[in-house]
C-alpha cells in the first residue's frame, strides 16, 4: 500500500484528502491498492496513523508535536503532498518542506504556487539531481491540465507562446460587472464568498496571482527562466462599469489576459479587449489557456481554475502519475 504524508489541511488539503477516500475503489483498480494518508501535518501539530488518518481526525484524535522534517523522517512516505499556505513573496515555508522531502529521496506533489514561483530552478534541479519526481500541476489553473498537457500530450510539439486567463476571481468579477451591472466591490465579495479568492484578494485583482501562474507556466512549458519581476503587470482595480459597457457595445469583453512568448521572452498580465466570440472569452470563474505550438497551430483548453475540490483533482492526478511511475 502506498503511503501519503499530507502537509496542509485547508481548502485544498481537505478536499484532496476527501477525494482520495472517495476515489479509493478506482485508485485500487488503477494502482493495485488505494493509497492512504498516513499522516496529516498542520501548523497546530501532526496526526499520524498507519491505518489511515480520517478527514476529521485533526479535530478529534490525538495530536503529536512534530516538525515537517521530523515527520518526513519518521513516516518515510511514498509521496509527500505539500498543500500549505502559499506565500508569493518568499515561497516559504513550502519551499523548505519540498526541499527536505526531495533531499530524502521522497517524491513531492504540490499545488503551492509560492515555492515554484520563487525557487523553480533550484527545486526542479534538486529533483532531477536526486532522480525524484516533483509534480505541481495544481499550481496553475486549478483543475485544468496545463503542465501535464505540455509534458505528456504535446511533448512532440513545442509550445512557443501562450495567452490565457489564469485568475478565476478577476474573471468572475469582470463577468458579473458586465452581465449583472454589479459594482466591483460587490462582485469581489461574491467571489470571496464562493471561495475563489485568495486570503488577500489584492493578489487576485492586482494580477499577482495570474503573474505567479504565468511564471510557472513559462518556466515549465516554454523553458524560459522568467521571474515574477520580469512580468509587466496591471490589475483590474481601475476597470469601470462604463468601460465594460463601452467595450460590449463594440463587440468586446474586458478580460485579464496573461501572455508569454518564448521567442521575445516578453510576459505580461493586463486587462485586454477580447472579441466576444473569442475562445479566450470564458465566463465566471473559468480559466482558459491557448497554447500556440511550433508544428500544429493552437490548442485552447478551459475549465475550473479555482476551488478546493477542483484543484484537488490536479493534485490527485499528479499523485497517481508518481505512484504509477514507481509501480510500472
Ligand atoms: N484565487 C485564485 C483564483 C485561486 O481566483 O484563480 C486559484 O489559484
Amino acid at each position: 500500500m502506498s503511503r501519503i504524508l499530507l502537509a496542509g489541511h485547508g481548502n485544498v488539503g481537505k478536499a484532496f484528502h476527501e477525494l482520495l477516500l472517495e476515489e479509493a475503489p478506482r485508485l485500487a483498480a488503477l494502482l493495485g491498492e488505494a493509497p492512504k494518508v498516513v499522516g496529516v501535518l498542520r501548523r497546530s501539530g501532526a496526526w499520524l496513523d498507519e491505518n489511515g488518518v480520517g478527514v476529521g481526525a485533526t479535530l478529534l484524535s490525538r495530536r503529536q508535536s512534530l516538525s515537517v522534517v521530523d515527520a518526513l523522517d519518521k513516516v518515510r512516505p511514498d509521496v509527500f503532498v505539500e498543500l500549505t499556505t502559499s506565500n508569493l513573496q518568499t515561497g516559504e515555508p513550502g519551499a523548505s518542506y519540498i526541499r527536505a522531502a526531495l533531499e530524502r529521496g521522497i517524491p513531492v506533489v504540490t499545488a503551492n504556487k509560492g515555492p515554484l514561483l520563487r525557487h523553480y530552478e533550484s527545486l526542479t534541479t534538486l529533483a532531477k539531481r536526486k532522480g525524484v519526481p516533483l509534480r505541481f500541476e495544481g499550481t496553475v489553473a486549478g483543475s485544468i491540465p496545463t503542465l501535464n498537457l505540455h509534458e505528456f500530450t504535446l511533448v512532440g510539439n513545442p509550445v512557443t507562446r501562450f495567452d490565457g486567463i489564469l485568475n478565476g476571481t478577476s474573471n468572475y468579477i469582470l463577468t458579473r460587472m458586465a452581465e449583472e451591472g454589479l459594482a466591483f466591490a460587490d462582485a469581489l465579495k461574491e467571489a470571496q464568498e464562493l471561495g475563489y479568492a485568495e486570503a488577500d484578494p489584492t493578489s487576485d485583482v492586482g494580477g499577482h496571482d495570474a503573474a505567479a501562474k504565468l511564471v510557472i507556466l513559462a518556466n515549465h512549458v516554454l523553458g524560459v527562466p522568467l521571474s515574477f519581476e520580469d512580468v509587466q503587470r496591471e490589475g483590474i482595480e481601475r476597470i469601470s462599469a462604463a468601460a465594460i459597457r463601452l467595450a460590449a457595445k463594440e463587440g468586446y469583453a474586458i478580460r485579464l489576459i496573461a501572455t508569454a512568448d518564448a521567442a521575445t521572452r516578453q510576459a505580461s498580465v493586463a486587462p485586454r479587449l477580447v472579441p466576444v466570440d473569442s475562445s479566450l472569452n470564458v465566463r465566471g470563474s473559468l480559466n482558459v489557456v491557448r497554447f500556440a505550438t511550433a508544428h500544429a497551430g493552437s490548442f485552447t483548453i478551459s475549465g475550473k481554475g479555482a476551488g478546493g475540490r477542483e484543484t484537488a483533482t490536479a493534485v490527485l492526478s499528479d499523485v497517481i502519475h508518481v505512484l504509477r511511475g514507481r509501480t510500472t
Side-chain angles (χ1 to χ4, degrees):
M1 190 239 337
S2 299
R3 299 156 60 255
I4 293 172
L5 180 63
L6 172 60
H9 218 233
N11 200 14
V12 182
K14 247 187 226 148
F16 166 73
H17 199 162
E18 282 165 2
L19 196 59
L20 193 77
L21 294 170
E22 267 177 58
E23 290 288 335
R26 206 170 60 85
L27 292 170
L30 279 173
L31 302 166
E33 223 178 331
K36 268 194 184 136
V37 172
V38 293
V40 171
L41 310 173
R42 305 180 61 160
R43 262 190 290 252
S44 50
W47 287 259
L48 307 183
D49 186 343
E50 281 300 319
N51 296 316
V53 179
V55 179
T58 61
L59 294 174
L60 303 170
S61 63
R62 260 197 58 220
R63 174 178 78 89
Q64 298 184 36
S65 197
L66 207 60
S67 72
V68 171
V69 170
D70 288 345
L72 284 166
D73 283 333
K74 186 167 179 177
V75 175
R76 287 271 153 191
D78 296 291
V79 190
F80 175 54
V81 178
E82 200 285 321
L83 300 172
T84 64
T85 308
S86 198
N87 180 325
L88 297 186
Q89 271 77 46
T90 64
E92 294 296 348
S96 296
Y97 299 160
I98 293 170
R99 215 169 271 131
L102 294 175
E103 291 283 6
R104 286 162 176 74
I106 298 168
V108 176
V109 172
T110 185
N112 187 349
K113 291 174 280 253
L116 274 305
L117 169 64
R118 293 296 173 187
H119 307 282
Y120 184 91
E121 183 60 30
S122 68
L123 292 175
T124 53
T125 303
L126 176 61
K128 268 190 212 118
R129 184 160 61 75
K130 290 279 176 182
V132 178
L134 166 61
R135 308 206 62 84
F136 42 93
E137 177 62 71
T139 59
V140 177
S143 68
I144 310 176
T146 52
L147 306 176
N148 291 342
L149 181 78
H150 150 76
E151 207 174 317
F152 299 123
T153 313
L154 291 179
V155 67
N157 183 18
V159 175
T160 55
R161 176 195 168 90
F162 63 82
D163 307 273
I165 293 171
L166 298 176
N167 183 263
T169 300
S170 53
N171 207 58
Y172 182 84
I173 292 170
L174 292 172
T175 306
R176 295 290 284 160
M177 286 174 75
E179 294 182 4
E180 306 297 328
L182 248 64
F184 180 91
D186 293 333
L188 171 58
K189 198 159 164 272
E190 278 189 5
Q192 286 176 302
E193 282 164 6
L194 289 164
Y196 303 144
E198 299 296 301
D200 174 4
T202 317
S203 89
D204 292 300
V205 298
H208 310 73
D209 175 72
K213 294 166 183 164
L214 177 152
V215 167
I216 298 170
L217 258 186
N219 275 272
H220 199 70
V221 174
L222 302 181
V224 175
L226 280 180
S227 73
F228 188 74
E229 286 67 33
D230 295 325
V231 183
Q232 289 171 25
R233 181 181 45 79
E234 191 186 324
I236 61 162
E237 307 95 324
R238 288 203 296 269
I239 302 295
S240 65
I244 291 176
R245 272 197 305 274
L246 197 64
K249 257 194 201 152
E250 302 294 325
Y252 292 93
I254 297 180
R255 292 289 179 253
L256 185 67
I257 300 292
T259 300
D261 189 292
T264 64
R265 300 194 162 211
Q266 297 286 310
S268 64
V269 171
R272 308 260 182 227
L273 289 170
V274 172
V276 283
D277 58 357
S278 162
S279 59
L280 290 184
N281 183 24
V282 296
R283 297 174 58 242
S285 66
L286 290 179
N287 281 194
V288 60
V289 187
R290 184 173 63 200
F291 291 110
T293 68
H295 308 300
S298 292
F299 296 83
T300 304
I301 181 162
S302 74
K304 296 193 173 174
R309 193 170 181 85
E310 291 79 358
T311 306
T313 65
V315 176
L316 183 57
S317 82
D318 274 348
V319 167
I320 294 169
H321 284 309
V322 168
L323 294 175
R324 275 183 156 173
R326 293 210 130 190
T327 51
T328 54

